[in-house]
Amino acid sequence: ELQAQVADAAGRETLARHFRRAVGHRATLTTAAQTLTGTVTSADETSVTLDVDGTTHTIAYPDVTGAQMVVTF
């Protein structure tokens, strides 16, 4: 289960690990500016990339205020 609130560098490291496991799965990410739901296409030490209806969004971990996996049946 991917749920995140990032407060420090250790939190970002944990978040990066969660997102690397989530590559290929759908997730909802919240920032101060927006909420995006799409497929996690990549994740590295500094950011996560989502494909939202064909548009790529790369979000730096410090900008992520919340995240959840999207379960589809």
Side-chain angles (χ1 to χ4, degrees), residues 1-23 27-31 40 42-50 58-69:
E1 179 176 310
L2 174 68
Q3 291 190 347
Q5 292 185 338
V6 179
D8 56 20
R12 285 190 296 277
E13 224 174 88
T14 300
L15 187 58
R17 240 187 347 265
H18 286 296
F19 277 118
R20 282 193 291 273
R21 287 193 305 241
V23 169
T28 298
L29 271 66
T30 303
T31 68
V40 178
S42 67
D44 61 23
E45 304 82 32
T46 60
S47 63
V48 58
T49 301
L50 283 182
T58 300
I59 302 167
Y61 294 131
D63 295 335
V64 176
T65 59
Q68 290 186 311
M69 291 295 294

Side-chain angles (χ1 to χ4, degrees), residues 36-39 41 49-58:
L36 299 168
T37 299
T39 302
T41 57
T49 301
L50 283 182
D51 178 305
V52 180
D53 299 324
T55 301
T56 300
H57 298 268
T58 300

